[in-house]
Structures are given as C-alpha cells and as structure tokens.
Amino acid sequence: MLKRARKPGIVAIAALAASMALHSQTPLFQDPHHPAAKPHEVDYLYPEQVTLTAGKPTRVTLHFRIAPGLHINSHTPKEKFLIATDLSLPADAGVRLEGAHYPEGADFVLPVDPSTHLNVYTGDFAIDARLVSTPGDHLVQARLHFQACDENACMPPRTITASIDVISR
C-alpha cells in the first residue's frame, strides 16, 4: 500500500520536471544564429516596394534606424581611416544607383577621449537614392555598409541588406 501512495507522487514530479524542461528550451521558431535577445545595430525600415519609370532617374528615400546607445560613422567621416556608411546595389539587379545624397552627420565627442571628434549618425536617418531601372519587376538587395560603435568600442564593420521590390514600367 505504501508503494501505491508513492507512485502518484513520483509521476507528478516526473511530469513537472518534463514540463519545466520543455518550457526552458529555445522556441522552435527562433533562429539559433540570430538570438532574439541580440538587437540589430542598424535596421532597414522602408520602403519595401517602389514604382519607377524605366530608364528615368527616380528619387527613392531609404529609411534606417540605429539601435539606441550606438552610432555609426557618417558617409563623410572626419578621418580617412574610419569606416564610412555607404549604400550600394548589386551590378546584376536590373536597377542601378545613379547617385545618393546622405544626411549630414552630427558631431560626436568620445567620452573616453574628449580630443576625438567624430561625424556620426544616431537614431533614424534616411538616404536619398537616385535609382534607374530597366523595365520589369526587380527584387533589389541594396546593401548598407557601416561600422557601429558605442561610447567605448566599435564592433566589426557590417553590411546589411535592404530588400526593395522595384516595379518598373
């Protein structure tokens, strides 16, 4: 009789342990190479789709957001050795970048070295790109190259993709 009383308790403990183990595992939808807890340094916001007249240069404003507490060098950093923010398009995209107007950066003084003055972007910023396309529909994988830093250190340079569905007639 004593054995019968223990079995339900053991079964309950085993069920509780199994339940805890299941709930503590990484969710199935989470990409193990990009943990959900790690925010992106820079995110592409919009537009996702644009309509252009084939062969005619058209202004398209691309919007980006830099994570709080970070900055990236502007397109025209104060020193040549600093990594400039730069937008590019693949050569085989059916759309070419005729030119781009980058925003002016803001002056930034490094707290660890007040003699170092940088020209950076923080928060939201936009690049006015002049795009020229061939007729048709093109999924363009624009690339933004940058180096993100906080007040103490810089991360390795990165390139993110800005996907744009270009419809050109």
Side-chain angles (χ1 to χ4, degrees), residues 40-150:
H40 296 168
E41 294 98 4
V42 177
D43 285 316
Y44 171 60
L45 301 177
Y46 61 92
E48 294 178 2
Q49 186 179 69
V50 295
T51 302
L52 307 178
T53 301
K56 180 181 176 190
T58 306
R59 182 179 147 205
V60 175
T61 303
L62 307 175
H63 297 264
F64 299 90
R65 176 170 293 146
I66 301 166
L70 298 179
H71 61 268
I72 63 175
N73 290 314
S74 72
H75 181 66
T76 54
K78 291 191 177 209
E79 301 292 337
K80 290 191 185 275
F81 67 88
L82 296 172
I83 309 275
T85 296
D86 191 53
L87 179 71
S88 63
L89 299 181
D92 62 350
V95 178
R96 71 179 160 81
L97 181 64
E98 185 175 88
H101 179 265
Y102 295 83
E104 289 186 28
D107 286 336
F108 181 79
V109 177
L110 283 176
V112 295
D113 181 9
S115 66
T116 301
H117 296 259
L118 303 173
N119 187 266
V120 303
Y121 302 140
T122 59
D124 291 3
F125 71 99
I127 299 171
D128 287 325
R130 282 187 319 282
L131 304 179
V132 179
S133 68
T134 59
D137 296 342
H138 311 281
L139 182 57
V140 178
Q141 302 296 323
R143 295 181 299 255
L144 184 73
H145 185 71
F146 61 89
Q147 183 172 28
C149 306
D150 63 17

Side-chain angles (χ1 to χ4, degrees), residues 9-22:
I10 291 172
V11 171
I13 291 171
L16 178 62
S19 174
M20 289 173 65
L22 279 174

